[in-house]
Amino acid sequence: YFMPKTGSNLLALSKAQAFGKRLGFGATPVPEPSNKNVYRFDDPTSQLRHLWYDIVSTNFIMRYSYEQDAGLFLERNVPTMVSAQQETKNLLQTYALYPTDFVGGSIKVTYLKVAESKLSPVASQTLADAVRVDFFRPNIASTPVVTSIPAEAPISVTLSGSKNSKKRVLQFIYTYWAIDYQTSATYSLKQSAYAWQELQNGGGIIVRYPKGQVATVRNVYLAYYDSFEPQTYLQPIFVFEGDDGFLAYVPAIDPEWVE
């Protein structure tokens, strides 16, 4: 499937400023030295709250630096799974950020606890300091869509238990690459045995290493790869799953069709 890219325009920065203002950020952003398309917005009322916005793709990261707020997690009103889903859905819909082709996709809720300045998964709400809600694309023609970090979706919102609106959203990651479902083509695939041999020879990528020294593969299936980085086409890959969390990806299109 073709994935069209949005070009830059003269109103891009103005639109970014309007969006930042709606979220409570200052009107004068600072360009990031490492990427000419990305601007940093600061919150004039909270030095720990920032927004990094790509004026070309309109993707962004909004973050509250919880590591520097010692008292933040004393408020332990972390929402339930149902409430967290509803709150984050409302957030996306309020700012017109819920893509139509994400409707019907899976929503994953993960409870998190702060340890050594990092948020790590925990089993229950009672142990949690925060909760992350990940929004995944639905299957395309019965084929799953995967990312480079399987547990994390292109769109995710992490909520604290704080009642302060400026501290409620700890992190909001929005990475959306549009897919032109009307512009597609069919290509021959590698044989799965060839893809398996390619993986054994060091091809593909290991997404998640096993806990031990040996990788035992139990399941192989096709998926589409949705990258966090821009790509021109949504392409199929072979997914290899195994014991102790092993996971690997190998491109699925026959090499004769790839330049």
Side-chain angles (χ1 to χ4, degrees):
Y1 294 92
F2 179 58
M3 301 182 77
K5 294 295 169 286
T6 304
S8 59
N9 63 75
L10 296 175
L11 298 176
L13 182 56
S14 297
K15 289 181 179 180
Q17 289 172 312
F19 178 73
K21 184 178 180 180
R22 289 186 67 194
L23 289 171
F25 292 95
T28 307
V30 179
E32 284 290 306
S34 60
N35 189 332
K36 65 179 181 179
N37 295 331
V38 176
Y39 285 75
R40 191 193 77 230
F41 291 78
D42 301 323
D43 188 330
T45 65
S46 174
Q47 62 179 354
L48 300 182
R49 192 167 174 266
H50 306 281
L51 169 70
W52 290 268
Y53 191 96
D54 188 318
I55 63 171
V56 176
S57 69
T58 69
N59 292 331
F60 64 86
I61 296 175
M62 184 175 75
R63 195 174 190 278
Y64 180 80
S65 299
Y66 63 84
E67 306 92 337
Q68 301 177 47
D69 187 345
L72 172 63
F73 296 112
L74 295 178
E75 294 186 65
R76 301 188 60 83
N77 299 311
V78 178
T80 64
M81 287 189 173
V82 173
S83 296
Q85 282 194 42
Q86 191 59 54
E87 184 174 343
T88 52
K89 268 188 178 180
N90 290 344
L91 178 65
L92 292 175
Q93 291 168 345
T94 297
Y95 294 98
L97 294 172
Y98 203 164
T100 55
D101 57 343
F102 269 63
V103 175
S106 63
I107 301 175
K108 179 184 177 184
V109 181
T110 306
Y111 286 117
L112 306 167
K113 186 173 182 61
V114 65
E116 298 181 354
S117 298
K118 293 183 180 181
L119 289 170
S120 301
V122 290
S124 67
Q125 180 189 8
T126 56
L127 299 173
D129 294 315
V131 60
R132 188 181 74 234
V133 183
D134 289 270
F135 294 84
F136 293 88
R137 289 186 190 269
N139 291 356
I140 299 176
S142 302
T143 302
V145 182
V146 299
T147 66
S148 59
I149 307 176
E152 297 182 13
I155 301 173
S156 67
V157 183
T158 302
L159 303 174
S160 73
S162 177
K163 295 180 181 179
N164 185 329
S165 60
K166 294 291 182 78
K167 300 181 180 184
R168 182 67 167 180
V169 178
L170 299 183
Q171 186 165 268
F172 187 173
I173 297 177
Y174 188 86
T175 307
Y176 175 66
W177 306 115
I179 299 172
D180 183 353
Y181 296 96
Q182 304 305 313
T183 304
S184 62
T186 301
Y187 294 89
S188 299
L189 299 183
K190 300 171 183 174
Q191 293 184 4
S192 56
Y194 180 88
W196 168 237
Q197 189 63 52
E198 185 177 342
L199 178 63
Q200 289 180 303
N201 292 338
I205 59 169
I206 306 298
V207 180
R208 197 167 53 213
Y209 283 87
K211 297 176 182 178
Q213 299 297 315
V214 178
T216 302
V217 173
R218 301 287 184 184
N219 190 28
V220 184
Y221 59 90
L222 282 168
Y224 284 108
Y225 180 64
D226 190 12
S227 174
F228 290 108
E229 302 298 326
Q231 56 184 5
T232 308
Y233 300 96
L234 186 74
Q235 300 183 43
I237 60 172
F238 283 104
V239 179
F240 293 85
E241 292 180 335
D243 295 348
D244 296 324
F246 178 79
L247 187 68
Y249 299 159
V250 175
I253 294 178
D254 191 305
E256 70 176 272
W257 295 100
V258 181
E259 290 185 347

